[in-house]
């Protein structure tokens, strides 16, 4: 029970740090939010490929898997595992297969939110 309660502050801390870095990049650089997004996913892929992101996930749980770096990690991990079992074709399909559940959930809940809140174009 105590271990589960300690997971919340760790997830909040790691997720908060990742978000704070993104906010600092928005405020202090001329990078667009799209470039920051791609940078986060790319960092997750690189850290996952060299084996540094898994210990962060073990430490922070959802604080490391929910942000965009976690998506990049999921892509790289899926591609590496599929390449080991299926060869070169698995390298191209494994990342998408491993991330399909998260992508489907994002599309589904985004659609539901659009139905409920009536989105408007930005002025």
């Amino acid at each position: 029970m105590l271990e589960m309660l300690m997971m919340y502050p760790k997830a909040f801390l790691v997720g908060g740090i990742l978000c704070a870095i993104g906010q600092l990049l928005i405020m202090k650089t001329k990078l667009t939010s799209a470039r920051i997004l791609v940078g986060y996913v790319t960092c997750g892929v690189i850290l996952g490929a060299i084996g540094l992101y898994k210990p962060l996930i073990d430490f922070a749980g959802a604080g490391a898997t929910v942000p965009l770096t976690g998506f990049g990690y999921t892509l790289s991990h899926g591609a590496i595992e599929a390449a080991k079992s299926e060869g070169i074709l698995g390298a191209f399909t494994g990342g998408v297969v491993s991330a399909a559940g998260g992508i489907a959930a994002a599309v589904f809940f985004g659609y539901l939110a659009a139905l409920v809140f009536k989105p408007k174009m930005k002025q």
Side-chain angles (χ1 to χ4, degrees), residues 71-92:
F71 179 68
Y73 168 77
T74 301
L75 290 175
S76 69
H77 183 71
I80 291 168
E81 292 302 314
K84 287 178 184 175
S85 64
E86 300 173 28
I88 191 72
L89 185 60
F92 292 105

Side-chain angles (χ1 to χ4, degrees), residues 26-105:
I26 289 170
M27 292 177 358
K28 301 292 185 187
T29 69
K30 293 183 180 184
L31 291 173
T32 64
S33 57
R35 289 181 185 214
I36 295 168
L37 178 146
V38 170
Y40 265 62
V41 173
T42 304
C43 284
V45 168
I46 292 168
L47 293 173
I50 61 176
L52 294 178
Y53 206 75
K54 179 69 171 138
L56 186 62
I57 290 173
D58 293 340
F59 173 75
T65 58
V66 172
L68 289 168
T69 50
F71 179 68
Y73 168 77
T74 301
L75 290 175
S76 69
H77 183 71
I80 291 168
E81 292 302 314
K84 287 178 184 175
S85 64
E86 300 173 28
I88 191 72
L89 185 60
F92 292 105
T93 61
V96 176
V97 169
S98 68
I103 294 169

